[in-house]
Amino acid sequence: MKSATGLWDIVIVGGGLSGLALAAELAAPEFAHLSVLVLEQRTRYTRDRTWSYWRETVGQTHRYQHLERARWSRWSVGMSGRNSCHPSSRYCYATLDADAFYQAAQHSIGKTTHVQLRLGTQLSSIRTGDAALHITLANSQTVGARHVFDARPAPHGQTATGTLVQQFAGWEVHTQHDAFDASTVQLMAFEPHAQGLHFWYVLPYGPRQALVETTWVSPASWQPDFTQELQTQLAQRLGAKPYTVVYREQGVLDLSASPPASTRPGITALGRGGGTLRPSTGYAFLDSLAHAQRLAESLRQALNAGTWPRWQPPAFERPPAQAWMDAVFLSTLANDWARAPHYFCQLFERVPPDTLVAFLAGQPTLVQCAAVMQALPMAPFAAAAVQRGLGWRTATSNG
């Protein structure tokens, strides 16, 4: 349902996590007089990701919480005989399969007539016109919009070779015999390496099923052999016990600093392109949902105030202090990959679990930030902090 002018009020380019989350928010009856179009290039939705995050054990954190596949109140971190387990009564580590989210969001959209989802739609370009944005599709059709939300990640292969990335590949395996401790997430089991930070990540859904994932934080030029790594790791863990791979996932996340704000009027970036990916952790799920809620609330206020369609959607913003600490942390890791696992082990050994989780989840107090900083060795992090500070001053003076 287009508006009377023939334009879509809002077009969302990309129907992944952030795009569908916003579309589901805008499917609320209060937005029924607006027209919303979601353009997604895939032809159908399947499980292609596993999103995990920390949340408080009590209370409702997000609207899709009932879809969580599993949650744990214990997690372990370690390397070569140095292992620590951390319980928490306040926080749990939860995981949610992507297909469950996709189905729920599509269900919300499907109950409306003012939000439309088009699958199998390739986009060619977006250009700014006098009174609207013009979206050209691969089939040469043109769609007009008042506001565009661009939820597309950076095109594959365009990441600079020196850029830090998080690369991962995971297999969900089922065994015929008990093989996993279902009470504890193996958050990080490190294998020191000169090319990057390498660790194993295991989500045990039960004694006989788990997602086993190999993860690297490294320059984009480093290309791990994921299949060999997973086969070797499973042989070490399971021995001669047979297993079946029921699901596979693989991805690359650009850990660059927050992307520059768009200078194109009427276009707002969503998701990873909009900065919801936390560089130091690789997590984006809760921030993506929170940004969608903030956008919906901002639009609600604009409608009530009569300022639509001159609405200025809020961009996602990470607290500057948090962004600076993330940049310093990644710089320190890159300066000495062999020592990087020790820094993580020190964090989990020296900082109380609830304090560290608050920091990792992006909601720390100043006292909690100070506790995290005091747990790390001063010299390498101070050197990286000076580098980041000098870089910021240089960029400012040259700008």
Side-chain angles (χ1 to χ4, degrees), residues 82-94:
R82 179 183 177 182
N83 191 71
S84 58
C85 187
H86 308 274
S88 174
S89 59
R90 179 177 179 182
Y91 293 100
C92 66
Y93 191 76

Side-chain angles (χ1 to χ4, degrees), residues 258 317-328 392:
S258 298
E317 294 182 357
R318 194 172 299 284
Q322 187 183 105
W324 180 81
M325 290 182 70
D326 283 0
V328 169
W392 177 81

Side-chain angles (χ1 to χ4, degrees), residues 352-376:
D354 289 352
T355 296
L356 185 55
V357 169
F359 177 79
L360 295 174
Q363 300 173 335
T365 64
L366 290 177
V367 173
Q368 290 170 328
C369 286
V372 169
M373 295 175 69
Q374 291 172 1
L376 295 167

Side-chain angles (χ1 to χ4, degrees), residues 11-15 19 37-40 123 126 135 148-152:
V11 172
I12 301 171
V13 180
L37 175 64
V38 185
L39 303 175
E40 169 56 36
L123 184 134
I126 304 175
I135 304 167
V148 170
F149 291 90
D150 193 347
R152 295 172 297 172

Side-chain angles (χ1 to χ4, degrees), residues 198-318:
H198 180 219
F199 60 90
W200 291 94
Y201 171 69
V202 180
L203 298 179
Y205 301 128
R208 301 185 181 185
Q209 54 184 332
L211 177 66
V212 179
E213 189 168 284
T214 174
T215 302
W216 287 83
V217 177
S218 65
S221 57
W222 174 246
Q223 298 296 313
D225 186 342
F226 289 129
T227 299
Q228 183 61 51
E229 289 178 7
L230 285 161
Q231 289 176 341
T232 301
Q233 179 67 196
L234 288 168
Q236 293 174 355
R237 287 175 178 267
L238 305 178
K241 296 178 182 177
Y243 63 87
T244 302
V245 180
V246 299
Y247 165 72
R248 302 168 190 259
E249 68 179 25
Q250 185 170 332
V252 179
L253 305 176
D254 190 332
L255 302 181
S256 301
S258 298
S262 173
T263 56
R264 303 177 67 183
I267 302 177
T268 302
L270 289 181
R272 280 187 273 164
T276 57
L277 178 72
R278 178 89 183 272
S280 63
T281 64
Y283 293 115
F285 183 76
L286 292 184
D287 279 344
S288 294
L289 297 187
H291 190 212
Q293 289 181 320
R294 185 183 175 207
L295 287 166
E297 177 58 29
S298 174
L299 178 56
R300 184 179 298 111
Q301 293 174 2
L303 291 170
N304 291 337
T307 57
W308 168 266
R310 301 183 307 279
W311 175 49
Q312 296 296 322
F316 178 82
E317 294 182 357
R318 194 172 299 284

Side-chain angles (χ1 to χ4, degrees), residues 46-392:
T46 59
R47 180 184 173 193
D48 58 354
R49 285 290 183 273
T50 303
W51 291 304
S52 299
Y53 45 86
W54 279 278
R55 66 167 176 82
E56 294 202 42
T57 305
V58 179
Q60 184 74 13
T61 301
H62 61 87
R63 65 183 289 180
Y64 303 99
Q65 192 165 303
H66 64 287
L67 300 175
E68 290 172 353
R69 181 173 181 181
R71 61 188 67 89
W72 303 265
S73 58
R74 290 164 53 91
W75 43 87
S76 66
V77 174
M79 55 180 286
S80 58
R82 179 183 177 182
N83 191 71
S84 58
C85 187
H86 308 274
S88 174
S89 59
R90 179 177 179 182
Y91 293 100
C92 66
Y93 191 76
T95 188
L96 190 153
D97 291 341
D99 56 338
F101 165 79
Y102 295 146
Q103 291 173 14
Q106 287 182 92
H107 179 71
S108 296
I109 295 170
K111 293 189 297 184
T112 73
T113 57
H114 69 281
V115 181
Q116 184 181 130
L117 170 63
R118 292 186 190 174
L119 297 176
T121 305
Q122 298 278 349
L123 184 134
S124 177
S125 65
I126 304 175
R127 64 183 180 84
T128 304
D130 293 337
L133 293 156
H134 302 282
I135 304 167
T136 303
L137 308 181
N139 61 5
S140 298
Q141 291 184 349
T142 300
V143 173
R146 298 182 188 277
H147 293 272
V148 170
F149 291 90
D150 193 347
R152 295 172 297 172
H156 181 69
Q158 289 193 12
T159 302
T161 56
T163 299
L164 288 185
V165 296
Q166 182 183 110
Q167 305 178 74
F168 62 90
W171 293 353
E172 182 179 331
V173 298
H174 291 189
T175 65
Q176 298 177 5
H177 307 280
D178 291 357
F180 303 100
D181 177 3
S183 70
T184 305
V185 170
Q186 186 179 76
L187 202 61
M188 294 175 175
F190 294 102
E191 291 185 350
H193 199 283
Q195 297 296 328
L197 178 71
H198 180 219
F199 60 90
W200 291 94
Y201 171 69
V202 180
L203 298 179
Y205 301 128
R208 301 185 181 185
Q209 54 184 332
L211 177 66
V212 179
E213 189 168 284
T214 174
T215 302
W216 287 83
V217 177
S218 65
S221 57
W222 174 246
Q223 298 296 313
D225 186 342
F226 289 129
T227 299
Q228 183 61 51
E229 289 178 7
L230 285 161
Q231 289 176 341
T232 301
Q233 179 67 196
L234 288 168
Q236 293 174 355
R237 287 175 178 267
L238 305 178
K241 296 178 182 177
Y243 63 87
T244 302
V245 180
V246 299
Y247 165 72
R248 302 168 190 259
E249 68 179 25
Q250 185 170 332
V252 179
L253 305 176
D254 190 332
L255 302 181
S256 301
S258 298
S262 173
T263 56
R264 303 177 67 183
I267 302 177
T268 302
L270 289 181
R272 280 187 273 164
T276 57
L277 178 72
R278 178 89 183 272
S280 63
T281 64
Y283 293 115
F285 183 76
L286 292 184
D287 279 344
S288 294
L289 297 187
H291 190 212
Q293 289 181 320
R294 185 183 175 207
L295 287 166
E297 177 58 29
S298 174
L299 178 56
R300 184 179 298 111
Q301 293 174 2
L303 291 170
N304 291 337
T307 57
W308 168 266
R310 301 183 307 279
W311 175 49
Q312 296 296 322
F316 178 82
E317 294 182 357
R318 194 172 299 284
Q322 187 183 105
W324 180 81
M325 290 182 70
D326 283 0
V328 169
F329 191 73
L330 287 174
S331 294
T332 306
L333 300 185
N335 286 339
D336 190 350
W337 291 118
R339 291 291 305 169
H342 297 276
Y343 301 147
F344 278 95
C345 288
Q346 283 181 284
L347 274 178
F348 281 87
E349 291 167 355
R350 298 178 180 181
V351 180
D354 289 352
T355 296
L356 185 55
V357 169
F359 177 79
L360 295 174
Q363 300 173 335
T365 64
L366 290 177
V367 173
Q368 290 170 328
C369 286
V372 169
M373 295 175 69
Q374 291 172 1
L376 295 167
M378 180 177 295
F381 283 87
V386 170
Q387 291 174 352
R388 296 300 304 184
L390 289 175
W392 177 81

